[in-house]
Amino acid sequence: MILTLTLNPSLDRTIEIASLGRGAVIRAAAARLDPGGKGVNVSRALLANRIASRAVVPFGGDEGRHLVHLLFLEGLDMVTVPVTGATRSNVTLAEPDGTVTKINEPGTALLPAELDTVAVAVLAAAHSADWVVASGSLPPGVPADVYARLCRRFAGAGINVAVDTSGPALSYALAAGPALVKPNQDELAAATGMPLGCVGDVVEAAKKLRAAGARAVLASLGADGAVLVEQDSVWYGEATVTEPRSSVGAGDAMLAGFLAAGARGVPALLEALAWGAAAVSLTGSRMPGPAHIRREGVTIGPPDLARRLRAPTDPPPPPSHSDLV
Ligand SMILES: Nc1ncnc2c1ncn2[C@@H]1O[C@H](COP(=O)(O)OP(=O)(O)OP(=O)(O)O)[C@@H](O)[C@H]1O
Ligand SMILES: O=P(O)(O)OC[C@@]1(O)O[C@H](CO)[C@@H](O)[C@@H]1O
């Protein structure tokens, strides 16, 4: 069983527009609402592929009740924790060429007592878990080392923790030795302070995250595919998407596929890429099921270190983010 924790879940509204113009009244072509938050999406993707998962989800206010209702309709196995602050709403503006502009609210503060209740729920559910996935941003009021504490708590119990987050929460978690981290290109650049212009830079940066404590690094690179760095191996892979619709949640689907396939080596990377590509071909943050996942479009091999990335990242990262790396 794969347990997911989403401390800052969301209602995801995706609005389809012809093109994004600042300061204009834009008439939308269509809109959809999905339950969201990174861990929630990992559980939704696993559910869509009939793999056992349970999601721990704090929720509050009308938005929170709506979120839980949507997850209930999907049939998600979840432990819900009522909290006082309202669940956030995140908005995606999706253009026909697949470009997405995302606006994520910060979320409402979780009180210390509420965080304790969430932690108890995680500990209670984790006894039957092979993996705990700690995903997404932290709402206000939550200490930046919360995922790190989770990693330390589970390290002795033989439960692997996968972390998908950014900024200080990622830096702290690295120092606590997670089994896996899944940064995207921007997160990897920010965590290491390295400009990422080619696949070789990504490999070097991912090795830096391993040196900082992560056992394995699955670096997702959007349309450029992904790099997997484990103790004894480095692999690069990509998958073609003929008609990209929305990349929102592609990283979550990718992480779900990776864990579903055993979380190691080429077979897991292949599945990760196939699930990620399938998510990109779907609207909003819809998670792909078996009917959408095409493994034949995936290629994997040793990395071509000189290969340029389509969108090089050259961040001047705030030093606090890379302090611990
Ligand atoms: N335009 C695309 N074409 C093909 N594959 C894509 C595209 N965008 C994303 N992918 C696939 O999905 C994976 C995850 O994408 P990305 O790196 O954007 O994740 P992310 O930023 O974590 O996404 P999110 O946070 O929305 O879940 C990529 O590694 C790639 O395999
Ligand atoms: O603000 P965070 O927690 O970093 O990301 C939240 C979010 O963008 O991640 C998911 C896609 O990965 C969406 O469902 C959700 O809106």
Side-chain angles (χ1 to χ4, degrees), residues 4-8 37-40 42 133-137 147 162-165 252 255:
T4 66
L5 168 65
T6 312
L7 285 171
N8 206 5
K38 293 189 188 301
V40 162
V42 170
V133 178
S135 265
S137 60
Y147 292 154
V163 176
D164 179 4
T165 190
D252 308 326
L255 178 54

Side-chain angles (χ1 to χ4, degrees), residues 38 164 182 184 220-223 225-226 239-241 244 247-252 254 273 276-277 280:
K38 293 189 188 301
D164 179 4
K182 195 224 69 70
N184 66 18
S220 66
L221 307 171
T240 342
V241 179
S247 60
V248 178
D252 308 326
M254 159 177 252
L273 287 159
V280 173

Side-chain angles (χ1 to χ4, degrees), residues 204-252:
E204 206 183 309
K207 284 183 173 171
K208 221 171 159 185
L209 296 196
R210 284 201 72 249
R215 203 188 316 152
V217 179
L218 175 62
S220 66
L221 307 171
D224 278 312
V227 164
L228 173 64
V229 178
E230 296 173 312
Q231 188 179 355
D232 303 317
S233 61
V234 179
W235 294 101
Y236 170 81
E238 61 185 328
T240 342
V241 179
T242 37
E243 227 182 296
R245 292 208 174 78
S246 165
S247 60
V248 178
D252 308 326

Side-chain angles (χ1 to χ4, degrees), residues 60-87:
D62 289 343
E63 295 81 358
R65 277 187 286 279
H66 198 155
L67 170 70
V68 169
H69 178 65
L70 292 176
L71 293 175
F72 173 77
L73 292 181
E74 285 194 6
L76 202 79
D77 180 355
M78 57 186 159
V79 182
T80 54
V81 179
V83 297
T84 42
T87 298

